[in-house]
Amino acid sequence: MVGAAVAAVLAGPWLERRYGLAAFGAWRTLLVAIVMQGVPFLVLGTVVSSAIGAFVPARAFAKILPRNPVLAVPVAGAAGVVLPGCECASVPVASSLMRRGVAPAAALTFLLAAPAVNPVVLVATAIAFPGRPEMVAARFGASLVTSVAMGWLWIRWGREEWLRLPAGRAEHAPGAGRLEAFRLGLQHDFLQAGGFLVVGAMAAATFNVLVPPSVLEAFSGSPWLGVLVAAALAVLLSVCSEADAFVASSFTGFSPTARLAFMVVGPMVDMKLIALQSGAFGRAFALRFCAATFVVAILCCAVVGGVLL
């Protein structure tokens, strides 16, 4: 599928001229835009992931995080505040943290919090909604509460058999130096996650081309349907968390709570993130975790939006 996507991008101009496929040109442009938007952050995530595996001893995490997973979850959520990045970067980092002995609940909390509450995202939200500090506060509060709630829910109902970590990482290679382990880990993580990023981008671009705007306008007037539609749009459009506030601000027909749902759901559940989680942790995990995150995020947005907006 990745090879087909590359061929479609390269052959796109010729196909458009020969057959007049304007829709295909739009699809190709959206595909390239989503991939190019995500690749820098994916590189950042795989570099951090490989560095953790090659240079950071496992005992370091035992010193930083509380041993009790219930207490480790909010600490991991707070750690997401200080690390700029998007959802493409958080998946390989969370995977590496689990391999280094961090409790899955804490790693998953960090996975959700890092792309949603970091300073870059909050500043972008303030710029996209000038004179609306309550929107920034609502996004921060709803995103952090969703992340921590999902970590605690995993402690209560999560099962280890749902979570599959990839094997054969360089950090376990016998006799390999640290720089060589870093290189092999970076190569392994980037090639694996990059393929799933392209697959998710293809799905998002297809939705953008096939669904007309008039379908969305029919639901924007209803408060509850507007929230659900905005959340579903966040999943399908797959906009990077650093840019989604500007897209949300353009949804003038939607209520403030619906636009909040778009910004909270997007960094936690979108097409490329579902694909990345499927590749990193297995399809059984991704389907359950993303579905639960979607529901919890909408509920948190309804509560926080009702209070602050």
Side-chain angles (χ1 to χ4, degrees), residues 3 31 49 74 82 140 172 179 185 206 263 272 277 286 296:
L31 170 63
S49 169
V82 298
F140 176 82
H172 301 294
L179 288 177
T206 301
M263 294 187 292
K272 64 180 184 295
Q277 288 187 13
V296 172

Side-chain angles (χ1 to χ4, degrees), residues 250-308:
S250 68
F251 293 162
T252 55
F254 287 87
S255 67
T257 302
R259 287 188 274 181
L260 173 65
F262 181 87
M263 294 187 292
V264 172
V265 171
M268 300 184 182
V269 188
D270 64 22
M271 296 297 291
K272 64 180 184 295
L273 186 55
I274 294 172
L276 287 168
Q277 288 187 13
S278 298
F281 307 123
R283 192 189 317 176
F285 166 83
L287 293 178
R288 292 178 173 90
F289 188 74
C290 290
T293 303
F294 183 84
V295 174
V296 172
I298 289 179
L299 293 176
C300 291
C301 287
V303 173
V304 174
V307 174
L308 297 179

Side-chain angles (χ1 to χ4, degrees), residues 44-45 48-49 52 61 64-65 72-98 102-118 143-144 146-152 267-268 273 277 281 289:
L44 171 64
V48 174
S49 169
I52 289 174
F61 299 105
I64 297 173
L65 293 173
V73 163
V75 174
V81 177
V82 298
L83 181 62
C86 80
E87 55 272 24
C88 298
S90 64
V91 173
V93 173
S95 176
S96 182
L97 290 174
M98 291 185 199
V102 173
L108 294 175
T109 300
F110 177 82
L111 183 152
L112 297 177
V117 298
N118 68 70
S143 299
L144 188 59
T146 301
S147 304
V148 174
M150 285 303 302
W152 284 336
M268 300 184 182
L273 186 55
Q277 288 187 13
F281 307 123
F289 188 74

